[in-house]
Amino acid sequence: MSMLETRYATLPASRADCVLLDERDPLREMRENFLLPPNLIYLGGNSLGPLSRAAAEQVEAMTRVQWGQGLLGSWDEAGWMEAPQRVGNKIGRLIGGQPGEVIVTDSTSVDLFKLLIGALRLREERHVILTEAENFPTDLYIAQGVADVLGAVELRVVPRAEVVDHLDESVAVMMITHVDFGSGHRHDMRRLTEAAQRAGALALWDLSHSTGAVPLDLAACNVDLALGCGYKYLNGGPGAPAFLYVPHRLQGAIRSPIWGWMGHASPFSFEGTYAPDSGMRQYLSGTPHMLSMAALEGGVDLWLEVDQATVWEKSAALSNLMIRLVDEQCAPYGVTIATPRNVNERGSHLTLRHEQAYRLMRALIDRGVEGDFRPPDLMRFAVTPLYLRFVDVWDAVGCLAEILRTRVFDDEKYPERTPVT
Ligand SMILES: *Cc1c(COP(=O)(O)O)cnc(C)c1O
C-alpha cells in the first residue's frame, strides 16, 4: 500500500477538516516538546530546526551539572568521551546504518573534506570528483579546495539530469546531495549509487536536507560514504556538529587526512606518532564540542521516540496539502511550485517561485509565518511533521494568498535584503 492510501487518503477540504485531522494525529503530542514562540508558524526547520525541551534540558544538565559540578571527571563519568559514537549510533538508526558506522564530529563542510580526500586516495588511479551544478555551494567549494590541496584532481560539475552519463573510468567519487537545498528535488539514491559503483567510483551522499526529512536506508542502497547536518531536521541547535557515515566494509580503507589525537588508536597514551583507531573514532579530529553535542542529542532523542513511517506519511500529506492550496490560492498571482509534485522525488520542504519572493517572505515573517528566501526568486517552506499541524499549513498559505491579493509586499518598508533570511 502506498503511503497516501492510508490515513491521509483524502486531504482536508476546509480549516475545520484540518483541525479534525490534527486532533487525530498520532504525532500530536510531539509538538509539546518544542519550545516554539507563540503565534508563529515556523516553516524554517530545513534551515534551523527549533529548540526542543529535551535539547534545552540536555544543555542545562551539561552546563550546570556535568561541566559545572563534574568538571573534568565528566569526560568519563558523564560519558563525554563516547558521545560522538553514542549520538552517531542514534543517528545511524534513523538513516539505516549499523551500530559503529556513524560518528558525530566537526561540521558538514569539514567532514566532507575528510571523506572526499579519503575517497580520492582509495581510488588513487582515478582523479575526478563528479558532482552536479546545483549542489550546495559549500560542497562545491570544499571539493574545489580538495582539488587545490591534492593537485591533479578534477572537479567535474554537470547538470543534475546528466550525472549518470558522466560516470566513467576517471571518476573516483560521485558526490551528490540527496535532497536539493533549492528546489527540494530528491535524487534516487539506490539508482545513482549502483551506477557509480558499476563505473568503479565511490558514491558519497550529503544527507543534510534528508536526515529527519525523508526515509533513508543507506545499507539497503549500499551507500559508500555519507554525511549530514545536525541543525536542520535533527533540531540539534545552531552550529550543531555534523555526522559522517562509513560502512564497516570501508573503515580503515577510507583514511581521514586530519590526524588529530581523538582519532588515535589510544589518545591517552600520548604517543608521539599517529596510529589511527580501527573503528569510527579514526574519523574524529579533536575534542568533541560537548555543549553543541548535548543539544544535538536532545534533538535526536525525540526522533527515536516516533514511528518513522508515521512521520513520512504526515510529511507527504502536509506537503500535498500545501501544494494544493498554493495551486488554488497563490498560482493566480504568479506563484509557481519549484518542487517536484511526485512525493518520491521530493524532500520535506517546498519551494515556491515568485519574482517578488524576497519581499513576500519579509511580509510573511511580519505576519508570523517564517520560511526563508533563496536568491533570486525562491521561498522555501519546511513541512516538519514533529511540530507542524495541518492547520498551520492551511493558515500559512492563507496568509501568503492575502499578501498577494492585497499587495502589501509593495510597501516600501520591504526594500533591502538582510544578510541572513
Ligand atoms: C546545510 C548544508 C551544509 C552545511 O554545512 P556547514 O558546514 O554546517 O555549514 C552542507 N551541505 C549541504 C548540502 C547543506 O544543505
Side-chain angles (χ1 to χ4, degrees), residues 243-304:
F243 66 87
L244 65 84
Y245 164 86
V246 183
H248 289 300
R249 65 186 159 85
L250 286 176
Q251 289 175 23
I254 295 287
R255 302 273 307 270
S256 171
I258 301 177
W259 294 7
W261 70 310
M262 286 292 150
H264 194 279
S266 170
F268 289 93
S269 33
F270 301 105
E271 285 158 20
T273 304
Y274 185 72
D277 178 70
S278 59
M280 282 310 283
R281 273 208 319 105
Q282 69 187 291
Y283 304 107
L284 294 181
S285 329
T287 306
H289 302 87
M290 288 313 303
L291 296 181
S292 318
M293 185 77 78
L296 176 62
E297 188 161 21
V300 169
D301 280 345
L302 286 179
W303 274 104
L304 300 180

Side-chain angles (χ1 to χ4, degrees), residues 331-384:
Y333 300 101
V335 172
T336 56
I337 296 175
T339 306
R341 284 164 187 266
N342 177 347
V343 68
N344 297 317
E345 290 175 19
R346 63 178 192 244
S348 204
H349 73 271
L350 282 187
T351 306
L352 307 185
R353 183 170 269 137
H354 189 275
E355 55 180 14
Q356 295 293 343
Y358 177 72
R359 285 159 162 255
L360 284 172
M361 186 52 77
R362 298 308 310 173
L364 274 171
I365 291 170
D366 276 356
R367 286 159 184 76
V369 177
E370 182 158 17
D372 67 9
F373 163 79
R374 285 292 175 267
D377 58 358
L378 301 179
M379 291 177 280
R380 300 189 306 172
F381 302 96
V383 285
T384 45

Side-chain angles (χ1 to χ4, degrees), residues 12-23 321 390-392 394:
S14 65
R15 193 174 191 282
D17 282 356
C18 290
V19 172
L20 211 61
L21 210 49
D22 290 328
E23 278 167 9
L321 175 64
F390 286 89
V391 77
D392 295 324
W394 186 275

Side-chain angles (χ1 to χ4, degrees), residues 195-214:
Q197 290 167 346
R198 217 175 307 119
L202 293 160
L204 186 164
W205 289 90
D206 187 328
L207 307 177
S208 291
H209 271 89
S210 314
T211 318
V214 292

Side-chain angles (χ1 to χ4, degrees), residues 107-109 136 138-139 177 206 208-209 229 231-232:
S107 64
T108 311
S109 301
F136 190 65
T138 205
D139 297 53
T177 296
D206 187 328
S208 291
H209 271 89
C229 182
Y231 52 78
K232 292 171 179 160

